[in-house]
C-alpha cells in the first residue's frame, strides 16, 4: 500500500472518483452531495479541491477548501476530507489536507476553519476557534470547531463563521 501520495488539484476527470471517495468514506451520501453542490456554488475556488493519488494516479483521498467568512473577513472552510476506507490511516488524507492548505497559502488566503475531529486537525496547526473569538450559529462541541491562520503575520479575526449556502448552516 502506497504512502508516497501524489497530491494535485482536482480535474474534471476526477469528479467521479472524488464522489466515490466521499460515498465510501461516510455512512450517508450527504458529504458527496455537499461536494457536488459546492462545485456549483460561488464559494468554489478552482485549485482548492485536492486529491491524493497513488503511483498509478488514481485518487484515494480528497480535501476541499471553499470560501466562507469569519464575520465579514474572507476565510476558507476545510471539508469534507475523505479517504477510501482501504487507504485510511496511510497518510493520504493528511497529504491532501497539507497540499490544500499550501495551495491556499500560495494564493494569499489567510484563514481556514474546520468543523471536525478534535484529535485529527491540530496536527495541521488548527486550534480551538473559541480561543480566538470565533463561533458558529449551530450547536457544536467547542473542541470540534477549529481555526488556523495561514500567515502568522495576520492573526485570526473574531466573529461568527458564515458558511457557503450548500452547507445549510
Amino acid at each position: 500500500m502506497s504512502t508516497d501520495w501524489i497530491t494535485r488539484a482536482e480535474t474534471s476527470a476526477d469528479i467521479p472518483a472524488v464522489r466515490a471517495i466521499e460515498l465510501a468514506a461516510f455512512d450517508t451520501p450527504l458529504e458527496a452531495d455537499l461536494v457536488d453542490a459546492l462545485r456549483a456554488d460561488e464559494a468554489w475556488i478552482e485549485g482548492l479541491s485536492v486529491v491524493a493519488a497513488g503511483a498509478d494516479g488514481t485518487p484515494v483521498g480528497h480535501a476541499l477548501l471553499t470560501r466562507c467568512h469569519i464575520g465579514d473577513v474572507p476565510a476558507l472552510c476545510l471539508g469534507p476530507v475523505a479517504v477510501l476506507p482501504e487507504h485510511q490511516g496511510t497518510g493520504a488524507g493528511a497529504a491532501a489536507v497539507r497540499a490544500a492548505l499550501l495551495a491556499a497559502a500560495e494564493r494569499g488566503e489567510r484563514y481556514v476553519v474546520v468543523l471536525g475531529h478534535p484529535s485529527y486537525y491540530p496536527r495541521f496547526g488548527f486550534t480551538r476557534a473559541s480561543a480566538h473569538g470565533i463561533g458558529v450559529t449551530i450547536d457544536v462541541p467547542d473542541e470540534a470547531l477549529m481555526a488556523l491562520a495561514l500567515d502568522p503575520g495576520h492573526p485570526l479575526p473574531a466573529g461568527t463563521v458564515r458558511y457557503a449556502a450548500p452547507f445549510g448552516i
Side-chain angles (χ1 to χ4, degrees):
M1 193 171 295
S2 173
T3 54
D4 291 328
W5 300 108
I6 299 161
T7 57
R8 58 180 171 75
E10 167 192 297
T11 66
S12 58
D14 295 321
I15 292 173
V18 167
R19 183 163 177 83
I21 292 166
E22 300 289 342
L23 288 170
F26 294 101
D27 294 336
T28 72
L30 290 174
E31 286 82 2
D33 293 344
L34 174 60
V35 172
D36 289 343
L38 286 166
R39 216 178 258 116
D41 192 83
E42 64 185 16
W44 185 265
I45 301 170
E46 213 50 54
L48 295 186
S49 177
V50 174
V51 296
D56 67 355
T58 303
V60 301
H62 176 245
L64 178 61
L65 289 167
T66 52
R67 176 68 63 218
C68 70
H69 291 80
I70 301 171
D72 291 327
V73 179
L76 297 172
C77 171
L78 174 59
V81 173
V83 177
L84 289 174
E86 62 269 28
H87 293 284
Q88 290 175 3
T90 65
V97 169
R98 284 191 185 94
L101 293 173
L102 179 62
E106 289 173 347
R107 292 170 172 263
E109 295 288 343
R110 293 184 178 165
Y111 314 112
V112 182
V113 295
V114 64
L115 187 54
H117 205 284
S119 65
Y120 183 75
Y121 292 98
R123 74 187 69 190
F124 307 107
F126 285 92
T127 58
R128 193 178 293 218
S130 63
H132 305 281
I134 298 170
V136 289
T137 58
I138 59 171
D139 189 26
V140 298
D142 186 56
E143 65 275 7
L145 181 64
M146 293 163 272
L148 169 69
L150 293 172
D151 176 355
H154 293 90
L156 287 159
T160 300
V161 179
R162 290 187 294 117
Y163 290 88
F167 281 97
I169 298 174

